[in-house]
């Protein structure tokens, strides 16, 4: 109960309990808020992505170009020599996409994969595809990104209250050790909430769904590109990352100096979060693991025993 | 296989080997009733989901061993035999198959299927190994596949047909006949294709392998990585005319061609066996 000299008229241990509840509530609210902005379009109605779209969602522009190269390789349209110089060795494969056309065109002129990535024509197609993905909601647009970040404000408010109490407690000459221990994880969580993934949660789920449906294209199977054809080869790269290229066509992948670790999902199709950005995208789960820290049980129960340790 | 009780199935079942590189193609075959998986590639605790899906669909999946070394002088490894049995259990197959060959001797792996000398002593050794395997298989039928040999051991005491028949008779095993081997052996020894079918216990066939090959330096190699030549399909026709096998399988182990070519080969196999296509 409140006694004379208590900061703000609330006893230290009481405040610790109160603060734990408040911070917990703020984190849960922020989490739910964040999730609504992260969700993305309905999966049920979603159609499967094209290989280029899958590559952009799963990885980056480089992976999209690799997936087109896979289609061109499977269709016998490009080859390379030992110095990694690209050569056109056949016509555009049947069913080739817009990016395949642009990549073949560029490869013929610029001769190196790394130059293909810089070509205006290729970049145009990639930008347009990214816009489509954003419009559809698989990639997060500026509004949604802002919405996701706004969630952090709630947690920062809880931080502010904690800090205010700390200052008041110190000015009041009270011990604040346990409160400090409790505020620190809340600060960390608040900063984690500032991280915004590129891809919506349902975008990641769509990739997982597509991987499940195309297990035969996983690099684990060393899928035969000649049997499955160019589009499947491109999809294999888009969904499973550049490592699939090395599994199916190691000589070309090495000669053309492809980077093996673009969006490599550890060879497994079971894990959804597969690429370089997954650290950011998974802040949902990282915040939940932190929230075990936020119930900072340690601190609050000590508060009870310690007496007047909460500022 | 459907075995002797062919239960309402009009003709031989036709399939293609389930190999990792083409599993998407195999799964997409609407008329597929049976396939074969290399037993050593099946991870028992993490079996491939796509394989289990086929079993669920009612496709018979036969585990095919390649490393048991039934023809070796050493007793077969009980762990390998047990693996074969557990594969059959997992895939609910009443049948498994292995080669009549040896792949290791004195602990050294040959990395190849090597022919067994056709002597009475070798028959005894093979029979002992087969019985040991059968004990581990707990009632699952074992089909034995004679291999293609580019050479023979000197001074055989038995003909190939006698050697095979004796082993099958003494063990009660079924026969997995590789028609492409028969063709290769006939051609490399200058025999008429049909000759090597004579004397073989055709009524014991569990299923048949059909594969392609290529000629190098005057020898026909049973490569499994080339298209099946028309002569092999002719031999399938002749075989089916003599004794219809319960099932036939296209065995492709590498250099996988475009799906359309596999489809053409499967259609040709169905035509040779006189059954309707499984590809549509």
């Amino acid at each position: 109960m409140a006694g004379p000299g208590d900061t703000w008229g609330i006893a230290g241990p009481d405040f610790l309990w109160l603060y734990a509840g408040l911070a917990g509530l703020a984190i849960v609210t922020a989490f739910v808020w964040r999730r609504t902005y992260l969700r993305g379009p309905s999966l049920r109605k979603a159609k499967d992505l094209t290989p280029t779209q899958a590559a952009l969602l799963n990885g980056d522009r480089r992976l999209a170009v690799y997936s087109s190269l896979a289609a061109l390789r499977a269709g016998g349209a490009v080859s390379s020599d030992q110095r990694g110089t690209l050569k056109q060795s056949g016509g555009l494969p049947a069913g080739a996409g817009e990016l395949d056309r642009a990549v073949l065109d560029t490869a013929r002129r610029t001769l190196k994969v790394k130059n293909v990535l810089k070509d205006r024509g290729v970049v145009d197609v990639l930008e347009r595809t990214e816009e489509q993905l954003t419009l559809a909601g698989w990639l997060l647009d500026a509004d949604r990104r802002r919405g996701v970040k706004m969630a952090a404000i709630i947690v920062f408010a809880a931080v502010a209250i904690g800090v205010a109490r700390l200052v008041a407690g110190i000015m009041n000459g009270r011990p604040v050790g346990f409160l400090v221990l409790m505020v620190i994880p809340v600060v960390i969580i608040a900063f984690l909430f500032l991280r915004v993934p590129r891809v919506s949660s349902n975008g990641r789920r769509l990739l997982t769904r597509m991987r499940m449906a195309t297990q035969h294209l996983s690099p684990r199977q060393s899928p035969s590109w000649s049997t499955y054809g160019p589009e499947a080869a491109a999809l294999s790269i888009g969904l499973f990352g550049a490592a699939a290229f090395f599994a199916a066509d190691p000589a070309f992948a090495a000669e053309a100096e492809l980077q093996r670790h673009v969006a490599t999902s550890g060879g497994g199709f079971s894990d959804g979060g597969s690429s370089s950005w997954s650290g950011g995208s998974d802040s949902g789960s990282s915040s939940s693991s932190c929230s075990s820290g936020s119930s900072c049980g340690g601190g609050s129960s000590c508060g009870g025993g310690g007496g007047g340790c909460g500022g | 296989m459907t075995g002797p009780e062919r239960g309402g199935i009009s003709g031989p079942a036709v399939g293609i080997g389930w190999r990792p590189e083409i599993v998407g193609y195999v799964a997409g075959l609407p008329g597929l009733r049976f396939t074969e998986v290399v037993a050593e590639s099946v991870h028992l605790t993490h079996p491939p989901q796509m394989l289990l899906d086929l079993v669920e669909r009612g496709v018979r999946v036969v585990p095919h061993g390649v490393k048991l070394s039934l023809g070796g002088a050493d007793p077969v490894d009980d762990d390998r035999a047990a693996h074969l049995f557990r594969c059959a259990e997992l895939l609910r197959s009443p049948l498994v198959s292995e080669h009549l060959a040896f792949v290791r001797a004195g602990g050294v792996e040959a990395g190849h299927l090597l022919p067994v000398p056709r002597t009475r002593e070798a028959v005894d050794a093979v029979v002992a190994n087969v019985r040991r395997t059968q004990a581990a298989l707990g009632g699952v039928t074992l089909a034995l596949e004679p291999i293609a040999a580019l050479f023979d051991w000197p001074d055989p005491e038995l003909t190939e047909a006698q050697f095979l028949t004796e082993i099958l008779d003494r063990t009660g095993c079924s026969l997995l006949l590789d028609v492409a081997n028969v063709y290769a052996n006939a051609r490399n020894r200058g025999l008429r294709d049909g000759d090597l079918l004579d004397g073989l216990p055709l009524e014991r066939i569990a299923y048949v392998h059909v594969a392609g090959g290529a000629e190098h330096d005057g020898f026909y190699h049973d490569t499994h990585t080339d298209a099946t030549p028309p002569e092999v399909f002719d031999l399938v026709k002749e075989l089916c005319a003599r004794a219809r096998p319960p099932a036939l399988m296209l065995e492709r182990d590498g250099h996988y061609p475009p799906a359309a070519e596999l489809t053409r080969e499967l259609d040709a196999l169905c035509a040779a066996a006189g059954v309707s296509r499984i590809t549509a």
Side-chain angles (χ1 to χ4, degrees), chain A residues 118-139:
Chain A
K118 292 181 215 143
D119 179 78
R120 195 61 240 164
V122 170
V123 171
D124 278 348
V125 177
L126 291 170
E127 275 174 358
R128 235 176 302 134
T129 313
E130 279 166 354
E131 273 162 34
Q132 287 163 8
L133 286 169
T134 311
L135 215 60
W138 302 120
L139 288 173

Side-chain angles (χ1 to χ4, degrees), chain B residues 228-277:
Chain B
T228 310
E231 295 87 345
V232 170
F233 285 128
D234 289 342
L235 198 54
V236 169
K237 261 183 231 160
E238 180 161 349
L239 170 69
C240 288
R242 293 193 192 188
R244 276 197 141 199
L248 300 120
M249 191 198 93
L250 185 65
E251 191 183 30
R252 184 82 185 213
D253 293 328
H255 277 254
Y256 299 96
E261 257 171 65
L262 286 177
T263 296
R264 259 199 305 280
E265 280 205 52
L266 277 172
D267 290 350
L269 178 55
C270 288
V275 296
S276 48
R277 289 187 298 161

Side-chain angles (χ1 to χ4, degrees), chain A residues 91 134 142 147 243 246 251 270 305:
Chain A
T134 311
F246 286 83
S270 49

Side-chain angles (χ1 to χ4, degrees), chain B residues 31-204:
Chain B
L32 187 72
R33 291 214 307 271
F34 106 105
T35 183
E36 171 205 86
V37 62
V38 173
E40 283 81 359
S41 76
V42 177
H43 199 294
L44 289 166
T45 45
H46 301 285
Q49 188 53 45
M50 293 190 73
L51 196 57
L52 301 181
D53 288 347
L54 283 183
V55 175
E56 258 344 282
R57 220 173 94 181
V59 176
R60 179 140 299 163
V61 182
V62 177
H64 180 55
V66 294
K67 288 194 166 169
L68 205 51
S69 204
L70 286 172
D74 311 319
V76 288
D77 181 351
D78 287 334
D79 289 343
R80 290 180 193 276
H83 179 82
L84 213 47
F85 170 65
R86 279 197 292 271
C87 282
E89 235 180 4
L90 176 78
L91 303 170
R92 306 205 286 265
S93 174
L95 175 78
V96 297
S97 54
E98 231 316 336
H99 297 91
L100 208 46
F102 71 98
V103 298
R104 74 183 67 81
V108 178
E109 298 283 332
H112 241 300
L113 296 165
L114 297 171
V116 184
R118 295 199 303 271
T119 61
R120 303 222 168 265
E121 200 187 341
V123 169
D124 290 340
V126 170
V127 166
N129 269 336
V130 169
R131 287 195 178 134
R132 198 178 168 109
T133 307
Q134 283 172 320
L137 285 175
V140 173
T141 304
L142 176 62
L144 300 177
E145 179 178 21
I147 61 162
L150 286 174
F151 68 95
D152 278 322
W153 296 102
D155 307 323
E157 295 169 14
L158 303 162
T159 67
E160 241 168 50
Q162 286 167 340
F163 179 72
L164 191 60
T165 307
E166 173 135 7
I167 291 170
L168 294 184
D169 279 347
R170 283 173 58 184
T171 59
C173 283
S174 304
L175 175 62
L176 163 51
L177 185 67
D178 190 326
V179 171
N181 281 347
V182 174
Y183 172 72
N185 286 346
R187 191 160 148 182
N188 291 336
R189 291 168 195 172
L191 300 169
R192 203 181 60 82
D193 296 344
D195 288 351
L196 282 180
L197 289 180
D198 297 338
L200 286 179
L202 302 181
E203 70 291 345
R204 306 190 74 133

